[in-house]
PDB file of all heavy atoms in Angstrom:
ATOM      1  N   LEU A   1     194.960 190.705 144.567  1.00  0.00           N
ATOM      2  CA  LEU A   1     195.492 189.381 144.864  1.00  0.00           C
ATOM      3  C   LEU A   1     196.250 188.837 143.654  1.00  0.00           C
ATOM      4  O   LEU A   1     197.301 188.221 143.796  1.00  0.00           O
ATOM      5  CB  LEU A   1     194.366 188.426 145.273  1.00  0.00           C
ATOM      6  CG  LEU A   1     194.791 186.995 145.622  1.00  0.00           C
ATOM      7  CD1 LEU A   1     195.851 186.973 146.727  1.00  0.00           C
ATOM      8  CD2 LEU A   1     193.579 186.173 146.022  1.00  0.00           C
ATOM      9  N   ALA A   2     195.728 189.083 142.461  1.00  0.00           N
ATOM     10  CA  ALA A   2     196.394 188.628 141.231  1.00  0.00           C
ATOM     11  C   ALA A   2     197.809 189.190 141.156  1.00  0.00           C
ATOM     12  O   ALA A   2     198.744 188.481 140.782  1.00  0.00           O
ATOM     13  CB  ALA A   2     195.586 189.045 140.009  1.00  0.00           C
ATOM     14  N   GLN A   3     197.968 190.447 141.535  1.00  0.00           N
ATOM     15  CA  GLN A   3     199.283 191.093 141.523  1.00  0.00           C
ATOM     16  C   GLN A   3     200.246 190.354 142.452  1.00  0.00           C
ATOM     17  O   GLN A   3     201.382 190.065 142.084  1.00  0.00           O
ATOM     18  CB  GLN A   3     199.148 192.560 141.955  1.00  0.00           C
ATOM     19  CG  GLN A   3     200.408 193.374 141.751  1.00  0.00           C
ATOM     20  CD  GLN A   3     200.609 193.776 140.300  1.00  0.00           C
ATOM     21  OE1 GLN A   3     199.722 194.346 139.697  1.00  0.00           O
ATOM     22  NE2 GLN A   3     201.757 193.468 139.752  1.00  0.00           N
ATOM     23  N   VAL A   4     199.790 190.032 143.652  1.00  0.00           N
ATOM     24  CA  VAL A   4     200.616 189.317 144.629  1.00  0.00           C
ATOM     25  C   VAL A   4     201.007 187.939 144.084  1.00  0.00           C
ATOM     26  O   VAL A   4     202.159 187.525 144.192  1.00  0.00           O
ATOM     27  CB  VAL A   4     199.864 189.174 145.973  1.00  0.00           C
ATOM     28  CG1 VAL A   4     200.617 188.258 146.932  1.00  0.00           C
ATOM     29  CG2 VAL A   4     199.625 190.538 146.599  1.00  0.00           C
ATOM     30  N   ILE A   5     200.045 187.256 143.460  1.00  0.00           N
ATOM     31  CA  ILE A   5     200.295 185.911 142.929  1.00  0.00           C
ATOM     32  C   ILE A   5     201.362 185.943 141.840  1.00  0.00           C
ATOM     33  O   ILE A   5     202.326 185.186 141.887  1.00  0.00           O
ATOM     34  CB  ILE A   5     198.991 185.274 142.391  1.00  0.00           C
ATOM     35  CG1 ILE A   5     198.019 184.997 143.549  1.00  0.00           C
ATOM     36  CG2 ILE A   5     199.286 183.991 141.617  1.00  0.00           C
ATOM     37  CD1 ILE A   5     196.601 184.668 143.112  1.00  0.00           C
ATOM     38  N   VAL A   6     201.207 186.824 140.847  1.00  0.00           N
ATOM     39  CA  VAL A   6     202.183 186.831 139.746  1.00  0.00           C
ATOM     40  C   VAL A   6     203.551 187.330 140.210  1.00  0.00           C
ATOM     41  O   VAL A   6     204.577 186.823 139.774  1.00  0.00           O
ATOM     42  CB  VAL A   6     201.703 187.625 138.506  1.00  0.00           C
ATOM     43  CG1 VAL A   6     200.476 186.987 137.892  1.00  0.00           C
ATOM     44  CG2 VAL A   6     201.473 189.081 138.818  1.00  0.00           C
ATOM     45  N   ASP A   7     203.559 188.290 141.136  1.00  0.00           N
ATOM     46  CA  ASP A   7     204.845 188.778 141.658  1.00  0.00           C
ATOM     47  C   ASP A   7     205.585 187.670 142.406  1.00  0.00           C
ATOM     48  O   ASP A   7     206.783 187.472 142.228  1.00  0.00           O
ATOM     49  CB  ASP A   7     204.647 189.988 142.582  1.00  0.00           C
ATOM     50  CG  ASP A   7     204.248 191.254 141.814  1.00  0.00           C
ATOM     51  OD1 ASP A   7     204.352 191.265 140.574  1.00  0.00           O
ATOM     52  OD2 ASP A   7     203.831 192.220 142.473  1.00  0.00           O
ATOM     53  N   SER A   8     204.864 186.912 143.236  1.00  0.00           N
ATOM     54  CA  SER A   8     205.521 185.866 144.022  1.00  0.00           C
ATOM     55  C   SER A   8     205.950 184.685 143.150  1.00  0.00           C
ATOM     56  O   SER A   8     206.886 183.973 143.476  1.00  0.00           O
ATOM     57  CB  SER A   8     204.620 185.395 145.166  1.00  0.00           C
ATOM     58  OG  SER A   8     203.456 184.799 144.654  1.00  0.00           O
ATOM     59  N   ALA A   9     205.281 184.478 142.001  1.00  0.00           N
ATOM     60  CA  ALA A   9     205.642 183.383 141.101  1.00  0.00           C
ATOM     61  C   ALA A   9     206.759 183.784 140.131  1.00  0.00           C
ATOM     62  O   ALA A   9     207.240 182.942 139.374  1.00  0.00           O
ATOM     63  CB  ALA A   9     204.411 182.929 140.317  1.00  0.00           C
ATOM     64  N   GLY A  10     207.136 185.060 140.142  1.00  0.00           N
ATOM     65  CA  GLY A  10     208.187 185.516 139.234  1.00  0.00           C
ATOM     66  C   GLY A  10     207.707 185.686 137.804  1.00  0.00           C
ATOM     67  O   GLY A  10     208.485 185.607 136.866  1.00  0.00           O
ATOM     68  N   VAL A  11     206.402 185.923 137.626  1.00  0.00           N
ATOM     69  CA  VAL A  11     205.843 186.118 136.294  1.00  0.00           C
ATOM     70  C   VAL A  11     206.151 187.538 135.826  1.00  0.00           C
ATOM     71  O   VAL A  11     205.982 188.498 136.578  1.00  0.00           O
ATOM     72  CB  VAL A  11     204.309 185.886 136.298  1.00  0.00           C
ATOM     73  CG1 VAL A  11     203.701 186.212 134.954  1.00  0.00           C
ATOM     74  CG2 VAL A  11     203.998 184.454 136.701  1.00  0.00           C
ATOM     75  N   ILE A  12     206.612 187.652 134.592  1.00  0.00           N
ATOM     76  CA  ILE A  12     206.880 188.963 134.001  1.00  0.00           C
ATOM     77  C   ILE A  12     205.689 189.318 133.122  1.00  0.00           C
ATOM     78  O   ILE A  12     205.362 188.606 132.172  1.00  0.00           O
ATOM     79  CB  ILE A  12     208.185 188.927 133.181  1.00  0.00           C
ATOM     80  CG1 ILE A  12     209.351 188.563 134.101  1.00  0.00           C
ATOM     81  CG2 ILE A  12     208.424 190.257 132.475  1.00  0.00           C
ATOM     82  CD1 ILE A  12     210.557 188.001 133.389  1.00  0.00           C
ATOM     83  N   ILE A  13     205.024 190.406 133.459  1.00  0.00           N
ATOM     84  CA  ILE A  13     203.806 190.799 132.764  1.00  0.00           C
ATOM     85  C   ILE A  13     204.155 191.695 131.578  1.00  0.00           C
ATOM     86  O   ILE A  13     204.706 192.771 131.745  1.00  0.00           O
ATOM     87  CB  ILE A  13     202.863 191.559 133.725  1.00  0.00           C
ATOM     88  CG1 ILE A  13     202.537 190.690 134.928  1.00  0.00           C
ATOM     89  CG2 ILE A  13     201.602 191.995 133.002  1.00  0.00           C
ATOM     90  CD1 ILE A  13     201.908 191.453 136.067  1.00  0.00           C
ATOM     91  N   GLN A  14     203.833 191.223 130.380  1.00  0.00           N
ATOM     92  CA  GLN A  14     204.031 192.025 129.172  1.00  0.00           C
ATOM     93  C   GLN A  14     202.866 192.986 128.999  1.00  0.00           C
ATOM     94  O   GLN A  14     203.049 194.168 128.789  1.00  0.00           O
ATOM     95  CB  GLN A  14     204.147 191.093 127.961  1.00  0.00           C
ATOM     96  CG  GLN A  14     204.252 191.805 126.618  1.00  0.00           C
ATOM     97  CD  GLN A  14     205.614 192.430 126.393  1.00  0.00           C
ATOM     98  OE1 GLN A  14     206.623 191.877 126.773  1.00  0.00           O
ATOM     99  NE2 GLN A  14     205.630 193.596 125.801  1.00  0.00           N
ATOM    100  N   ASN A  15     201.635 192.452 129.053  1.00  0.00           N
ATOM    101  CA  ASN A  15     200.423 193.263 128.942  1.00  0.00           C
ATOM    102  C   ASN A  15     199.765 193.320 130.319  1.00  0.00           C
ATOM    103  O   ASN A  15     199.561 192.270 130.928  1.00  0.00           O
ATOM    104  CB  ASN A  15     199.439 192.652 127.941  1.00  0.00           C
ATOM    105  CG  ASN A  15     199.957 192.696 126.520  1.00  0.00           C
ATOM    106  OD1 ASN A  15     200.959 193.330 126.223  1.00  0.00           O
ATOM    107  ND2 ASN A  15     199.277 191.997 125.622  1.00  0.00           N
ATOM    108  N   PRO A  16     199.409 194.512 130.789  1.00  0.00           N
ATOM    109  CA  PRO A  16     198.819 194.628 132.134  1.00  0.00           C
ATOM    110  C   PRO A  16     197.533 193.821 132.330  1.00  0.00           C
ATOM    111  O   PRO A  16     197.160 193.525 133.440  1.00  0.00           O
ATOM    112  CB  PRO A  16     198.533 196.125 132.278  1.00  0.00           C
ATOM    113  CG  PRO A  16     199.387 196.791 131.259  1.00  0.00           C
ATOM    114  CD  PRO A  16     199.588 195.804 130.146  1.00  0.00           C
ATOM    115  N   ASP A  17     196.863 193.434 131.238  1.00  0.00           N
ATOM    116  CA  ASP A  17     195.638 192.637 131.391  1.00  0.00           C
ATOM    117  C   ASP A  17     195.928 191.130 131.456  1.00  0.00           C
ATOM    118  O   ASP A  17     195.015 190.324 131.412  1.00  0.00           O
ATOM    119  CB  ASP A  17     194.642 192.954 130.271  1.00  0.00           C
ATOM    120  CG  ASP A  17     195.154 192.584 128.881  1.00  0.00           C
ATOM    121  OD1 ASP A  17     196.272 192.016 128.764  1.00  0.00           O
ATOM    122  OD2 ASP A  17     194.437 192.864 127.905  1.00  0.00           O
ATOM    123  N   LEU A  18     197.219 190.759 131.551  1.00  0.00           N
ATOM    124  CA  LEU A  18     197.681 189.371 131.682  1.00  0.00           C
ATOM    125  C   LEU A  18     197.555 188.536 130.410  1.00  0.00           C
ATOM    126  O   LEU A  18     197.781 187.337 130.445  1.00  0.00           O
ATOM    127  CB  LEU A  18     196.961 188.620 132.822  1.00  0.00           C
ATOM    128  CG  LEU A  18     197.280 189.029 134.249  1.00  0.00           C
ATOM    129  CD1 LEU A  18     196.474 188.189 135.228  1.00  0.00           C
ATOM    130  CD2 LEU A  18     198.764 188.874 134.549  1.00  0.00           C
ATOM    131  N   THR A  19     197.203 189.157 129.278  1.00  0.00           N
ATOM    132  CA  THR A  19     197.054 188.362 128.057  1.00  0.00           C
ATOM    133  C   THR A  19     198.394 187.846 127.546  1.00  0.00           C
ATOM    134  O   THR A  19     198.436 186.816 126.879  1.00  0.00           O
ATOM    135  CB  THR A  19     196.328 189.139 126.941  1.00  0.00           C
ATOM    136  OG1 THR A  19     196.976 190.408 126.760  1.00  0.00           O
ATOM    137  CG2 THR A  19     194.856 189.359 127.286  1.00  0.00           C
ATOM    138  N   ILE A  20     199.493 188.534 127.851  1.00  0.00           N
ATOM    139  CA  ILE A  20     200.827 188.038 127.486  1.00  0.00           C
ATOM    140  C   ILE A  20     201.759 188.200 128.672  1.00  0.00           C
ATOM    141  O   ILE A  20     201.921 189.297 129.209  1.00  0.00           O
ATOM    142  CB  ILE A  20     201.407 188.770 126.260  1.00  0.00           C
ATOM    143  CG1 ILE A  20     200.502 188.579 125.039  1.00  0.00           C
ATOM    144  CG2 ILE A  20     202.827 188.260 125.953  1.00  0.00           C
ATOM    145  CD1 ILE A  20     200.963 189.319 123.802  1.00  0.00           C
ATOM    146  N   CYS A  21     202.348 187.081 129.100  1.00  0.00           N
ATOM    147  CA  CYS A  21     203.281 187.070 130.226  1.00  0.00           C
ATOM    148  C   CYS A  21     204.469 186.184 129.864  1.00  0.00           C
ATOM    149  O   CYS A  21     204.407 185.401 128.923  1.00  0.00           O
ATOM    150  CB  CYS A  21     202.616 186.500 131.482  1.00  0.00           C
ATOM    151  SG  CYS A  21     201.146 187.358 132.009  1.00  0.00           S
ATOM    152  N   TYR A  22     205.532 186.306 130.646  1.00  0.00           N
ATOM    153  CA  TYR A  22     206.727 185.477 130.473  1.00  0.00           C
ATOM    154  C   TYR A  22     207.174 184.998 131.841  1.00  0.00           C
ATOM    155  O   TYR A  22     206.877 185.626 132.852  1.00  0.00           O
ATOM    156  CB  TYR A  22     207.868 186.289 129.847  1.00  0.00           C
ATOM    157  CG  TYR A  22     207.599 186.731 128.428  1.00  0.00           C
ATOM    158  CD1 TYR A  22     206.942 187.926 128.172  1.00  0.00           C
ATOM    159  CD2 TYR A  22     207.987 185.942 127.350  1.00  0.00           C
ATOM    160  CE1 TYR A  22     206.675 188.334 126.874  1.00  0.00           C
ATOM    161  CE2 TYR A  22     207.735 186.342 126.049  1.00  0.00           C
ATOM    162  CZ  TYR A  22     207.078 187.540 125.813  1.00  0.00           C
ATOM    163  OH  TYR A  22     206.818 187.927 124.529  1.00  0.00           O
ATOM    164  N   ASP A  23     207.933 183.881 131.858  1.00  0.00           N
ATOM    165  CA  ASP A  23     208.589 183.511 133.104  1.00  0.00           C
ATOM    166  C   ASP A  23     210.034 183.990 133.023  1.00  0.00           C
ATOM    167  O   ASP A  23     210.449 184.556 132.012  1.00  0.00           O
ATOM    168  CB  ASP A  23     208.461 182.006 133.394  1.00  0.00           C
ATOM    169  CG  ASP A  23     209.149 181.112 132.370  1.00  0.00           C
ATOM    170  OD1 ASP A  23     210.085 181.572 131.678  1.00  0.00           O
ATOM    171  OD2 ASP A  23     208.755 179.932 132.269  1.00  0.00           O
ATOM    172  N   GLU A  24     210.787 183.774 134.094  1.00  0.00           N
ATOM    173  CA  GLU A  24     212.157 184.302 134.130  1.00  0.00           C
ATOM    174  C   GLU A  24     213.072 183.627 133.119  1.00  0.00           C
ATOM    175  O   GLU A  24     214.137 184.139 132.794  1.00  0.00           O
ATOM    176  CB  GLU A  24     212.741 184.236 135.541  1.00  0.00           C
ATOM    177  CG  GLU A  24     212.938 182.848 136.103  1.00  0.00           C
ATOM    178  CD  GLU A  24     211.708 182.272 136.784  1.00  0.00           C
ATOM    179  OE1 GLU A  24     210.632 182.913 136.746  1.00  0.00           O
ATOM    180  OE2 GLU A  24     211.815 181.167 137.359  1.00  0.00           O
ATOM    181  N   ARG A  25     212.665 182.486 132.579  1.00  0.00           N
ATOM    182  CA  ARG A  25     213.458 181.806 131.546  1.00  0.00           C
ATOM    183  C   ARG A  25     213.122 182.301 130.145  1.00  0.00           C
ATOM    184  O   ARG A  25     213.700 181.845 129.170  1.00  0.00           O
ATOM    185  CB  ARG A  25     213.211 180.298 131.608  1.00  0.00           C
ATOM    186  CG  ARG A  25     213.673 179.662 132.902  1.00  0.00           C
ATOM    187  CD  ARG A  25     213.351 178.190 132.895  1.00  0.00           C
ATOM    188  NE  ARG A  25     213.646 177.587 134.174  1.00  0.00           N
ATOM    189  CZ  ARG A  25     213.243 176.380 134.525  1.00  0.00           C
ATOM    190  NH1 ARG A  25     212.527 175.654 133.695  1.00  0.00           N
ATOM    191  NH2 ARG A  25     213.557 175.895 135.716  1.00  0.00           N
ATOM    192  N   GLY A  26     212.103 183.169 130.048  1.00  0.00           N
ATOM    193  CA  GLY A  26     211.729 183.722 128.744  1.00  0.00           C
ATOM    194  C   GLY A  26     210.612 182.985 128.038  1.00  0.00           C
ATOM    195  O   GLY A  26     210.253 183.336 126.918  1.00  0.00           O
ATOM    196  N   ALA A  27     210.033 181.955 128.676  1.00  0.00           N
ATOM    197  CA  ALA A  27     208.909 181.233 128.059  1.00  0.00           C
ATOM    198  C   ALA A  27     207.687 182.157 128.040  1.00  0.00           C
ATOM    199  O   ALA A  27     207.426 182.882 128.999  1.00  0.00           O
ATOM    200  CB  ALA A  27     208.594 179.962 128.835  1.00  0.00           C
TER     201      ALA A  27
END
């Protein structure tokens, strides 16, 4: 479910454990 949530929100996953992520604007 976490995968579906971040994919639909446009979150870019840097670390597969979600400790570092970015949005499409680079934040």
